[in-house]
């Protein structure tokens, strides 16, 4: 980062006594900027044996498949953001369920919460930032063409849980693909 969002002064990375890492600090208003992970919501939207995936029309991961996902807007409830992303990215109407997985993705500075969801019907189509949206059964999942490591992790957990007959809750720290 270059400039303070509060007063516009140029910020500098500073070592501060007693702090474990250098921080961006503003010499004008003395604000310290902690660059903590941002929260992303995703939905694992199911209809019968199919899982909804979108083929991305934007970078990162252009042309690759992902769960519908995106950043939460300031002030927006996470659950509403998940419903909105399914509609924007896959033109799909979902009934949101409970959180199913939480991932920390250090290299992207993100936390990702994945909600279970039911698709109201099998209607889905590309949205403004996607090339394609469709349902995949397990045998059809394009494992070699997933956009993010977390997508593969959560899909493997989900199909594994289905086989064991118990949908758990999963946490993982995700390394870069
Ligand atoms: Zn400032």
């Amino acid at each position: 980062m270059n400039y303070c969002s509060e007063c516009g002064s140029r910020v500098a990375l500073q070592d501060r006594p007693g702090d474990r890492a250098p921080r961006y600090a503003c010499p004008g208003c003395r604000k310290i900027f902690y660059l903590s992970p941002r929260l992303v919501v995703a939905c694992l939207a199911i209809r019968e044996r199919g899982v909804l995936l979108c083929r991305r029309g934007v970078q990162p991961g252009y042309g690759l498949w992902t769960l519908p996902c995106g950043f939460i807007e300031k002030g927006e409830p996470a659950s509403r953001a998940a419903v909105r992303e399914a509609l924007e990215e896959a033109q799909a109407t979902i009934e949101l369920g409970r959180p199913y997985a939480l991932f920390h993705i250090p290299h992207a500075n993100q936390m990702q919460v994945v909600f279970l969801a039911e698709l109201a019907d099998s209607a889905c189509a590309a949205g403004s930032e996607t090339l394609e949206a469709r349902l995949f059964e397990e045998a059809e999942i394009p494992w070699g063409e997933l956009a993010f490591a977390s997508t593969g992790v959560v899909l493997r957990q989900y199909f594994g849980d289905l086989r064991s007959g118990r949908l758990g809750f999963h946490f993982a720290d995700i390394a870069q693909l």
Side-chain angles (χ1 to χ4, degrees):
M1 74 182 283
N2 292 314
Y3 296 99
C4 175
S5 58
E6 301 295 310
C7 74
S9 302
R10 183 172 273 279
V11 297
L13 206 51
Q14 282 182 0
D15 284 309
R16 301 169 63 252
D19 207 342
R20 79 185 79 82
R23 309 288 177 190
Y24 285 102
C26 176
C29 69
R30 306 205 168 275
K31 186 176 168 79
I32 309 297
F33 294 91
Y34 294 93
L35 303 182
S36 304
R38 298 175 71 193
L39 188 63
V40 169
V41 288
C43 50
L44 188 63
I46 308 299
R47 181 163 174 86
E48 294 167 0
R49 298 164 64 85
V51 174
L52 178 64
L53 296 180
C54 302
R55 199 152 74 83
R56 289 173 63 82
V58 291
Q59 295 291 3
Y62 182 94
L64 301 175
W65 294 90
T66 177
L67 302 181
C69 62
F71 291 105
I72 300 173
E73 299 291 347
K74 186 178 179 189
E76 182 182 39
S79 55
R80 191 176 304 167
V83 172
R84 175 179 56 72
E85 291 293 343
L87 192 59
E88 285 178 2
E89 298 196 344
Q91 298 190 46
T93 304
I94 61 170
E95 177 92 16
L96 202 67
R98 66 166 173 84
Y100 174 65
L102 181 65
F103 298 124
H104 181 212
I105 308 164
H107 66 267
N109 198 33
Q110 286 176 14
M111 299 289 294
Q112 186 179 112
V113 59
V114 182
F115 288 90
L116 289 172
E118 295 277 343
L119 282 159
D121 52 50
S122 53
C124 59
S128 60
E129 296 189 342
T130 52
L131 303 173
E132 198 178 343
R134 54 161 283 202
L135 292 163
F136 288 88
E137 294 194 6
E138 183 176 10
E140 304 168 322
I141 299 283
W143 295 105
E145 297 170 49
L146 299 178
F148 309 113
S150 58
T151 314
V153 171
V154 75
L155 288 172
R156 272 186 280 276
Q157 284 168 338
Y158 175 71
F159 290 115
D161 279 2
L162 281 189
R163 272 189 291 281
S164 74
R166 184 179 165 276
L167 289 182
F169 180 82
H170 303 275
F171 173 82
D173 286 312
I174 304 281
Q176 202 150 9
L177 272 179

